[in-house]
Amino acid sequence: MLNLRMDFKLAGFLLYALLTFLWMTDISAVVSLKNVNEQSRYVAENFAKELLHVASEELGVNKLQAYYDTLKYIETTKNGHLIVEQLSETLEQKFRERLAALDKLAKILHQSYNSESTAEIENCCDLTTETHEEDTRFRSKVNVKKFCLQVSPDSPNPKNITLLHNSVLRQMIANLESIPSLKWQYFGDENGVSTTFPSTLKQDCNVYDPRYRPWYVVASTPLPKNIVVVLDTSSSMKAKHGNETVLDLAKLAAKTVLGTLSPSDKVAFISFAAEVEIPLGKSYASHCFSDHLADAVPSNIAYLNSHIDERGAYGSTFYTDALEKAFMFLKNSENGGTRDKVILFLTDGIPTDSKQMVMNTIQQRNEELNNGVMIITYGLGAAAQKEGREILTSMANQDGTLYGVPPRGQVRKGQYIEIQNPDELRTKMALYYALFFDSRTKHSPKVSVPYLDAWGLGLITTVSLPIVINGQLKGVVGLDLTMIDLLEDVLYLQKGELSYAFIIDDRGRAVLHPLLPSPLDVFEDPILINITDIERGADFEQVYTSMTKGSAGTKDLTAVRTFSKGEWSLEGRVTKTFSATYYWKPIEVIGYSLCLVLTKDFKQIDLASLVSSGDDFLYHRLDLIERNSDLCRYYNTSSLRSGRSTVKFAAEAFTDPSRYLDTEETAGRVRHYTKFMNDRIGFVPNPGFKSDIRNNVIATRQAEKYWPSFHRLDSGIQHWIPWRYIGTYNGVFRRIPGGMNHKLYSPSMRPW
């Protein structure tokens, strides 16, 4: 696939072209038409023809097409079974290598945790950048020979922290050397201390606590959670504590709890006083918040946080209705899966309603859920005194004997947690998950749902493992991996215009799909959607069911591919329906499933070998090439005065796209590119390009013969055309006048 384009100084060009068109048009032919609509249609249709003529002549499309028609091509029949097998094996191997790095680090931590530290460890918040260098792999200044630590302001024992042994640092360095695409490696402990490699200056020193992060909680608790946060907003919560009210501190604690959740969890929020308040939800899906648990995805958490912020304190303290609503949320969200179910109940007062009624409600409603719900109660103020302590303890134990409601059957006991100092509320409530930790469980690595990296690395995922010593959780070790590194073979799959591939997780959510933003082009946390909202073919349900069960298979379907006409929001889209074969296979090590969609009887067509002219390749990194005398300022960019074209390669042009993106280009690297592209006898080794790239560079060189040189761009129609360029499906981009482009630029990803 070949695409060509000109950029216009739009307003000036359209005015010039319209005036030229009107000057050349027989006005009498326009006037003779019967009405204004016919006249407008006549002008519009002929003006469009004139624009197409200008574009064709100025780009040389017909001549270039004729040239491409003379070239020889190699046609290859591709086996979809083999392609999906190779892709899945590649993905499996990548994940295994990275999980092995995590396992090595975990073993070293086990062996050395109580050993006296011999490493030099600085505080991440007090670093100077003198010993740190900019590293494109991390998008920041780092020191790859050191790690650093930071202590949470909520640390229970900040003066007695455990420093990691030097052997841990050596393993982190070894991991990065063996897998250069690895990102941050870190360990967070139960004291709220986090140690990060490589060392870098942190900006979140006053708020960060590893124990409140989803990667820490997911590794510590074996099952996903259905959780209902119930918050007392009665009048007594207006009481002042320092410069804040108790309600302010309670709302912060509730939001911290929400921050510990991962998208695999489900959540609801209830506030209560004389009446119960729940979020109204969004108009198109209000049940997600008002009577069903919502997936704990970033957009839902943000909505619940805003709802919590709006709560005020008023009225008395009625427990029963709040508990009824909490159990309703849990019951309505039962789907047969194995999940921890918990109610977090925070109050500063004793119930206004009958204590017997409170205990009856808990007993009856939990029996409807097979006594599978745990209740954790938090008492402060009056609720931390004798009467409050008794009812909240009874609720946590689900034993209402004191109130004439003896227990029936085996229940899952929770815990009553007393809060004497409201400043401790956030920490004690946010660590609710500690009750779900089981030292007898055989822990396996946990892989987080992809999320937006704060350092600008795009979408990343965290793999983490708990460190358990003598039956006690000491902390969690984690590695950050970019989705572009893990999934590059699928993202940059090139099998024709219509064929594509996608990946889903074990819940059927789309991890990668052509209709989703590229992992590099994401600027906010992703909205996780089910693949059936994208793949809407009539018979796709059979494929979906098989994929979510972890099975492999093949099926012929009618597929629909959606393309942008230009800018999505302005120019709309076009769809193409075609006969396709779906090939799918599980990626067992991580719980993902890969699907390849190939057009029926797909054949790959590649350019046959071409011979370079020997001296015409010019790379776009003009700052690394000694051509200063040929440079000029052109539309606020550095361009070549001679009118020569330059070539830029997108990531998909390389066999290892993530390595290209993570590695800073040098003058030596550019010389290697140049020698390889100009090589006529095959003497220069390939510096990392895919096999068909060189042929496409040679073929696109022909465009220069049909494009005006730089000195002609100053009169007539030429004045309104700053650049002409040509892009290929596999990532070759040539433009005239030559100049530099952003490293992330890819012609095949652009709307044109």
Side-chain angles (χ1 to χ4, degrees), residues 265-268 287-289 292-297 300 304 329 333:
D265 299 319
K266 291 178 177 291
V267 64
H287 71 276
C288 288
F289 299 97
H292 280 69
L293 298 173
D295 288 335
V297 297
N300 288 344
L304 290 175
F329 274 112
S333 303

Side-chain angles (χ1 to χ4, degrees), residues 18-136:
L18 182 59
L19 291 174
T20 302
F21 167 69
L22 292 175
W23 176 68
M24 297 174 62
T25 299
D26 183 356
I27 300 299
S28 63
V30 178
V31 175
S32 67
L33 296 176
K34 295 180 180 180
N35 55 54
V36 174
N37 288 337
E38 289 185 6
Q39 293 172 356
S40 300
R41 188 180 302 110
Y42 177 87
V43 172
E45 289 176 352
N46 284 275
F47 183 46
K49 290 178 183 178
E50 186 66 25
L51 288 177
L52 288 173
H53 171 75
V54 171
S56 176
E57 291 301 311
E58 291 301 321
L59 278 174
V61 171
N62 295 333
K63 294 177 181 178
L64 268 172
Q65 184 63 63
Y67 165 71
Y68 268 81
D69 289 343
T70 67
L71 300 177
K72 293 182 179 180
Y73 297 87
I74 300 171
E75 187 176 280
T76 309
T77 300
K78 293 295 183 180
N79 184 321
H81 290 285
L82 183 59
I83 295 173
V84 78
E85 189 75 29
Q86 291 171 340
L87 283 173
S88 63
E89 286 181 4
T90 299
L91 293 174
E92 288 266 9
Q93 181 61 28
K94 279 192 173 184
F95 277 108
R96 285 197 188 96
E97 289 174 352
R98 286 145 183 79
L99 292 177
L102 177 68
D103 187 60
K104 291 176 183 177
L105 193 52
K107 287 180 178 177
I108 293 294
L109 279 161
H110 271 285
Q111 296 167 4
S112 66
Y113 189 73
N114 290 319
S115 302
E116 185 176 347
S117 174
T118 57
E120 180 183 343
I121 307 178
E122 297 179 289
N123 191 307
C124 302
C125 302
D126 298 330
L127 295 175
T128 61
T129 57
E130 296 174 359
T131 58
H132 292 62
E133 297 180 356
E134 192 71 33
D135 192 317
T136 55

Side-chain angles (χ1 to χ4, degrees), residues 80-242:
H81 290 285
L82 183 59
I83 295 173
V84 78
E85 189 75 29
Q86 291 171 340
L87 283 173
S88 63
E89 286 181 4
T90 299
L91 293 174
E92 288 266 9
Q93 181 61 28
K94 279 192 173 184
F95 277 108
R96 285 197 188 96
E97 289 174 352
R98 286 145 183 79
L99 292 177
L102 177 68
D103 187 60
K104 291 176 183 177
L105 193 52
K107 287 180 178 177
I108 293 294
L109 279 161
H110 271 285
Q111 296 167 4
S112 66
Y113 189 73
N114 290 319
S115 302
E116 185 176 347
S117 174
T118 57
E120 180 183 343
I121 307 178
E122 297 179 289
N123 191 307
C124 302
C125 302
D126 298 330
L127 295 175
T128 61
T129 57
E130 296 174 359
T131 58
H132 292 62
E133 297 180 356
E134 192 71 33
D135 192 317
T136 55
R137 292 175 296 180
F138 299 94
R139 306 288 192 272
S140 59
K141 288 186 175 183
V142 299
N143 186 331
V144 295
K145 298 299 181 184
K146 292 184 177 182
F147 49 25
C148 64
L149 63 80
Q150 63 186 115
V151 182
S152 166
D154 292 337
S155 170
N157 197 355
K159 294 184 178 180
N160 186 25
I161 61 177
T162 299
L163 302 179
L164 299 187
H165 193 265
N166 197 49
S167 58
V168 178
L169 174 60
R170 289 196 298 267
Q171 185 58 56
M172 289 176 165
I173 294 172
N175 283 346
L176 184 60
E177 290 176 347
S178 63
I179 308 176
S181 60
L182 273 186
K183 303 309 177 191
W184 306 106
Q185 304 176 57
Y186 40 85
F187 175 71
D189 69 22
E190 284 289 272
N191 196 20
V193 179
S194 56
T195 304
T196 303
F197 173 86
S199 169
T200 190
L201 181 62
K202 295 290 188 75
Q203 304 296 329
D204 52 2
C205 303
N206 295 323
V207 295
Y208 188 81
D209 190 315
R211 300 170 300 166
Y212 305 158
R213 303 300 300 157
W215 58 268
Y216 193 101
V217 180
V218 167
S220 304
T221 54
L223 297 175
K225 297 172 289 298
N226 284 359
I227 184 169
V228 183
V229 180
V230 183
L231 180 65
D232 179 357
T233 55
S234 59
S235 297
S236 56
M237 294 289 282
K238 293 178 181 177
K240 280 284 191 177
H241 180 77

Side-chain angles (χ1 to χ4, degrees), residues 20 28 38 42 58 96 104 130 152 195 218 242 263 270 305 317-318 417 497 516 534 544 585 589 609 693 700 745 749:
T20 302
S28 63
E38 289 185 6
Y42 177 87
E58 291 301 321
R96 285 197 188 96
K104 291 176 183 177
E130 296 174 359
S152 166
T195 304
V218 167
I270 297 170
N305 281 338
T317 313
F318 284 84
I417 299 174
E497 178 185 11
L516 297 178
I534 304 176
Y544 174 76
K585 192 175 188 300
V589 71
S609 182
I693 296 302
T700 58
Y745 186 86
M749 300 289 183

Side-chain angles (χ1 to χ4, degrees), residues 261-397:
L261 303 178
S262 81
S264 295
D265 299 319
K266 291 178 177 291
V267 64
F269 176 80
I270 297 170
S271 57
F272 74 97
E275 297 178 346
V276 172
E277 287 188 316
I278 56 175
L280 295 177
K282 303 170 185 176
S283 60
Y284 62 85
S286 59
H287 71 276
C288 288
F289 299 97
S290 60
D291 57 30
H292 280 69
L293 298 173
D295 288 335
V297 297
S299 57
N300 288 344
I301 296 299
Y303 174 77
L304 290 175
N305 281 338
S306 65
H307 174 80
I308 291 171
D309 284 337
E310 294 169 357
R311 297 310 93 204
Y314 64 92
S316 49
T317 313
F318 284 84
Y319 284 18
T320 303
D321 288 347
L323 289 166
E324 286 277 8
K325 186 66 72 174
F327 279 104
M328 178 208 71
F329 274 112
L330 294 168
K331 185 176 181 179
N332 289 350
S333 303
E334 282 282 275
N335 58 6
T338 304
R339 307 173 73 88
D340 285 321
K341 296 183 261 307
V342 60
I343 296 172
L344 305 185
F345 191 94
L346 169 65
T347 181
D348 75 336
I350 57 177
T352 305
D353 44 346
S354 162
K355 298 182 182 68
Q356 185 181 59
M357 185 183 299
V358 169
M359 296 309 303
N360 269 324
T361 298
I362 291 174
Q363 185 177 88
Q364 293 168 13
R365 298 297 173 253
N366 206 4
E367 284 178 347
E368 294 173 4
L369 291 167
N370 299 315
N371 286 329
V373 179
M374 177 189 289
I375 301 176
I376 305 175
T377 57
Y378 303 86
L380 64 161
Q385 306 305 313
K386 183 178 184 298
E387 187 177 358
R389 187 182 303 121
E390 287 177 347
I391 181 61
L392 292 178
T393 301
S394 297
M395 290 169 60
N397 293 334

Side-chain angles (χ1 to χ4, degrees), residues 618 621-633 638-642 740:
L618 188 58
R621 288 295 303 271
L622 303 177
D623 57 325
L624 299 177
I625 302 173
E626 295 181 3
R627 297 186 65 93
N628 294 335
S629 61
D630 196 23
L631 293 179
C632 67
R633 203 71 184 158
S638 294
S639 296
L640 291 175
R641 190 188 307 275
S642 63
M740 293 174 60

